[in-house]
Amino acid sequence: MDVRLNGVGGAGSAAPLSAIRCRGGAGRALRRGLAAVGLLAVLAGCENSATAYMIEGNQHALILVREQKFFWDDELRQAVVVSRLPACQKRVRIHPGSTTLVEMKVYAAGDGLWALHQGARWYLAGTEECRLQDWDNPGDRPPGVLLGSFALKDGEPAFVPAPAAK
């Protein structure tokens, strides 16, 4: 690498930083490195997580995905991936969440059906055809046994099985 100082001046004279030029790929590499550090600083406050409730091994699952595009956003995009491989897998966006994970409870709701409850919202997931929809739950009562919930565990999103479901 050949570093030269452009400009005139005698010994001991200072030149502005813009006068320093790097020959070869060092200048580009330095700029890319600084850009990467800046990007990491911007993304450091973002949450991008995926947490799974495994139904039958790793091929049959409900997965809560949370994505924060910018650290200054107050809400996160949320989706549920309904998966029963190799037959089907579908990612469905659900209502946005806050930067703090609001617990999402998972209930057994019948043959191949699960009810998801987060805040005031209910969703119904079916793995026969990998579908998910908003559900107007009359009476706001769980349709079956609590299996567990997507919640914070040690500060990280995780699926926490219900005590009876372990």
Side-chain angles (χ1 to χ4, degrees):
M1 173 172 81
D2 179 22
V3 177
R4 292 185 346 167
L5 187 59
N6 290 335
V8 280
S13 67
L17 189 58
S18 62
I20 298 176
R21 293 206 174 166
C22 296
R23 293 198 177 207
R28 274 192 303 274
L30 180 62
R31 284 191 300 274
R32 285 184 183 154
L34 290 173
V37 169
L39 182 60
L40 286 175
V42 168
L43 295 177
C46 296
E47 177 186 337
N48 290 302
S49 66
T51 307
Y53 162 58
M54 302 294 193
I55 298 166
E56 294 171 0
N58 63 359
Q59 303 290 309
H60 193 187
L62 300 175
I63 303 162
L64 176 63
V65 179
R66 292 171 45 85
E67 300 169 328
Q68 184 179 15
K69 193 168 183 174
F70 301 107
F71 70 92
W72 58 81
D73 287 342
D74 289 338
E75 63 181 29
L76 283 80
R77 288 188 214 164
Q78 295 188 122
V80 173
V81 178
V82 183
S83 179
R84 189 177 55 84
L85 295 172
C88 62
Q89 179 172 304
K90 196 175 290 178
R91 177 183 170 134
V92 181
R93 282 182 81 170
I94 60 174
H95 298 277
S98 65
T99 53
T100 302
L101 176 62
V102 174
E103 179 181 41
M104 178 182 277
K105 294 181 179 181
V106 179
Y107 296 93
D111 191 28
L113 295 174
W114 288 266
L116 310 174
H117 184 220
Q118 185 178 45
R121 300 192 185 282
W122 284 89
Y123 305 97
L124 196 56
T127 57
E128 182 64 32
E129 295 178 8
C130 293
R131 294 181 184 221
L132 183 113
Q133 65 185 36
D134 282 285
W135 182 40
D136 182 22
N137 181 359
D140 204 36
R141 289 192 322 262
V145 177
L146 175 66
L147 301 172
S149 60
F150 294 104
L152 289 178
K153 182 178 181 181
D154 300 325
E156 297 292 323
F159 182 79
V160 180
K166 289 181 183 178

